[in-house]
C-alpha cells in the first residue's frame, strides 16, 4: 500500500475547499478514492486546489456526503 501523501492547496482556495482538503488529510482520504466514491472527476480536485476554481455545489455536496459530512446553511451569530 502506498503511503498517504497530504493534500496541499493554495491560499486562494475557497474556504470550503480548504476545509474539504483539511478533512481529507485528517482522515487520510485520497483524491482517487473520493473521486470514485463521490462521482466527481479526479481532475476537478487539482482545479480546486491550485487554480482558484470553486466547485459546483453538487460536486462539493457529493464529496462531503461521501465522507460523512453535509453542507448546512445557518444564521450567523450576532
Amino acid at each position: 500500500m502506498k503511503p498517504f501523501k497530504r493534500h496541499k492547496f493554495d491560499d486562494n482556495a475557497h474556504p470550503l475547499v480548504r476545509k474539504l482538503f483539511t478533512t481529507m488529510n485528517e482522515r487520510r482520504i485520497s483524491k482517487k478514492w473520493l473521486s470514485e466514491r463521490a462521482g466527481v472527476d479526479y481532475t476537478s480536485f487539482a482545479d480546486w486546489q491550485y487554480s482558484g476554481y470553486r466547485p459546483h455545489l453538487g460536486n462539493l455536496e457529493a464529496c462531503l456526503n461521501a465522507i460523512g459530512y453535509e453542507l448546512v446553511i445557518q444564521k450567523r451569530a450576532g
Side-chain angles (χ1 to χ4, degrees):
M1 176 183 245
K2 284 181 11 180
F4 179 76
K5 184 177 177 183
R6 295 186 63 78
H7 307 293
K8 298 178 182 178
F9 45 85
D10 285 344
D11 291 337
N12 66 340
H14 189 277
L16 293 173
V17 170
R18 290 195 305 261
K19 181 62 178 169
L20 173 64
F21 283 107
T22 300
T23 302
M24 290 170 64
N25 284 335
E26 290 168 354
R27 297 185 56 196
R28 302 177 64 86
I29 296 171
S30 72
K31 291 183 286 190
K32 181 179 180 191
W33 181 90
L34 187 54
S35 69
E36 292 171 357
R37 182 83 177 242
V40 174
D41 187 5
Y42 180 84
T43 60
S44 296
F45 291 100
D47 291 340
W48 302 345
Q49 287 175 277
Y50 303 116
S51 301
Y53 292 147
R54 296 178 178 185
H56 293 287
L57 185 56
N59 286 344
L60 180 60
E61 284 185 308
C63 288
L64 292 171
N65 291 339
I67 61 174
Y69 286 75
E70 64 182 1
L71 187 60
V72 176
I73 298 173
Q74 65 183 30
K75 186 176 180 178
R76 289 184 181 192

